[in-house]
Amino acid sequence: MSIGATNARPYLEVKDLNVRFETDDGIVQAVTDSTFSVEAGQTLGIVGESGSGKSVTSLAVLGLHRTRSNAKVSGEIWLDDQELVTATDEQVRLLRGGKMAMIFQDPLSAMHPYFTVGSQIVEAYRVHHPGVNKKVARERAIDMLARVGIPQPERRFNDYAHQFSGGMRQRAMIAMALVNDPKLLIADEPTTALDVTVQAQILDLIRDLQDEFGSAVIMITHDLGVVAELADDVLVMYGGKVIEKGPALEVFQNPQHPYTWGLLGSMPRLDREVRDRLNPVKGSPPSLINLPSGCAFHPRCPYAGRNGNRSFNEVPLLHGDVHKVACHLPPEARTEIFQQEVLPNL
Amino acid sequence: MLAYLIRRLFNAVLTLLVVTAVTFGIFFLVPKATGTDPALLYIGKTSDAASVEGIRVKMGLNDPIVVQYGKFLKGLVAGRDYANGPDVQHCPAPCLGYSFKTDQEVTPLLLGDLPVTLSLALGAAVLWLIMGISTGVISALRRGTVLDRVVMGGALAGVSLPIYFTGLLASAIFVYWLGWLPQGEYVPFTESPGDWFVQLILPWITLAFLFAATYARLTRANMLEILGEDYVRTARAKGLRERAVIGKHALRSSLTPIVTVFGLDLGALLGGAILTEKVFNLRGLGYQALTAIQGNDLPIILGVTLIAASFIVIANLIVDLVYGLIDPRVRLA
Ligand SMILES: Nc1ncnc2c1ncn2[C@@H]1O[C@H](COP(=O)(O)OP(=O)(O)OP(=O)(O)O)[C@@H](O)[C@H]1O
Ligand code: SF4
Ligand SMILES: [Mg+2]
């Protein structure tokens, strides 16, 4: 191992990220003390139910909360050895769409309805290549459309987003995100709006492009199957907090947090009767304005009383070296519960 | 796009036909309802029965309404002859008949008023678009600040204050008190562009103030909505400068609904801005209509109504076409 390698930071390193929004109803604590990192060439999966802060986290990395006057972001975000929370708006703007890019959930609403898909890709390319003339940029855009598997790219270049099918639209969105060879790609539920076969194609495409460019990828999803398939590491979020993280294989084979167990239980499985397939975690997501004290999951956790009510105390991300979990249950107790009560029902 | 165009054109013609039928119906019914004889309105109550009957024949007032309407339509398209035996009066197309009061042909009378109304409406439109859109955008970008509140307060005043108040106030200040603008009458552009301009400044500003207020509120509301759209976030995520995000991506969509409102407002104004014309003594279509209503001069009222309606229908048509041009989702649907 070279000295450079040991000293180098991961390509993206986020430390103690906090994002809160001031609203009329009170302060929304959307992300609390989130710490994670992604190496170049690696994929981090972020999972968690709706409202757990996945999108807010990724928008924070891109500095997209800066234009919201009610948003407050603190902590550290290091991208390729540059700190972004304290950087100027202009510094972050130059990185956006350049070194770091994002693919959004719904490509129809994420593309401008009045500009052709091609012109939007050209625009993305030219912001970061100001010297390049229109013709070259156009060729680059067409080349990208071809790369992501869009047939007849010269012709599709002049089409509008609404003329594309859902899968083609998401491909075009990916072409736009990748046009400047970003070293960090954040995909925020890139396949939710698509049907299953198209989903698989899009995920394959992202994986192939990642192999080709060696980018770091953050894959945000509700679908644990996607994470299991694509991610090297996984981050489980609940109520804006990271409650479990570690190597994906580890987390799937030996999940530690009761909420993660719940998520695994809600996974659709082929060997299960259709009516039994979905089995979501009981109860509703926590209010981010009044987060439950201590372990935020305790109102919904079936094991909350098992450790002398310590669940109401603050719980840091504690146990484990690479596989970390925020739960007061001692590791032995957790293993026992998982083996005897959870696994048989999965 | 061609099918869309043809459909729209067809609709426009149909609408105009309905408008003529309705206005003509009213024209026919009003004298009936009030018990006045149109023939008497032409020649005065003192006339003897024979000459009244002569007028009836000449104007076709004895025909059934459908026949009268048919002749009226023919007059609009091809002109018509009013005849009572050897006494023939030709009214060239588009024939709108004769004024009850002065016996003048309505069409040339109204055509003479048109430049005044056109000057007023078009000038004011340019002004209110610039004022309304720019303040609306600024207000949206500075939402919640003192500037935003001041601008929106001003806009509220603009919407709620009547023209005769703002108009008279503006005259009092700029003409009588400060003396910056001369007191005077409308001067045709062809006579003296400079005087035309100077004389129209106050009416333009007064009228524009009223509309700019609406446009500022509309632009602000649209802009705020659009700024929350996913594609604006995408534009930022690409690394575009805030100037391009606002000025290109957000503004483009914010202005689309304004095209509709603008077309309809302008169309309506071209039929005459009654209050503004009255306050500033501009002898345009609105002024003419007001005088005609006061004098019960039905042919002129009918004429102005038709012109106003045509402008609205045409404006609608243009709006639809422009909309098709700026929104590919409409064009390619
Ligand atoms: N601008 C904002 N102002 C106030 N609250 C916000 C804002 N943006 C997000 N939130 C809140 O932050 C919380 C986290 O939202 P986020 O979009 O990150 O959830 P998510 O995990 O991406 O959910 P989903 O799976 O539905 O996309 C939500 O409760 C949301 O209401
Ligand atoms: S800390 Fe308590 S409430 Fe929270 S997950 Fe663990 S057992 Fe459940
Ligand atoms: Mg989300």
Side-chain angles (χ1 to χ4, degrees), chain A residues 286-301:
Chain A
S287 153
L288 296 175
I289 294 176
N290 268 315
L291 261 184
S293 62
C295 170
F297 187 53
H298 79 248
R300 294 166 77 183
C301 180

Side-chain angles (χ1 to χ4, degrees), chain A residues 243 256-261 293-307 309-313 315 325-330 334 337:
Chain A
I243 50 105
Q256 294 290 308
H257 198 281
Y259 175 63
T260 314
W261 298 341
S293 62
C295 170
F297 187 53
H298 79 248
R300 294 166 77 183
C301 180
Y303 318 104
R306 299 245 183 135
N307 201 45
N309 287 338
R310 280 182 55 212
S311 299
F312 301 100
N313 299 342
V315 44
V325 59
C327 174
H328 285 296
L329 291 172
R334 259 184 277 131
I337 294 174

Side-chain angles (χ1 to χ4, degrees), chain B residues 112-146:
Chain B
D113 294 333
L114 200 54
V116 181
T117 296
L118 279 180
S119 305
L120 175 64
L122 292 178
V126 172
L127 209 59
W128 91 56
L129 271 186
I130 297 173
M131 280 166 37
I133 291 172
S134 54
T135 50
V137 170
I138 291 169
S139 228
L141 296 183
R142 300 270 173 276
R143 175 164 58 149
T145 61
V146 177

Side-chain angles (χ1 to χ4, degrees), chain A residues 50-51 53-56 58 105 188-189 220 222:
Chain A
S50 197
K54 306 180 297 292
S55 297
V56 169
S58 45
Q105 175 172 343
D188 190 353
E189 304 189 30
I220 296 174
H222 285 253

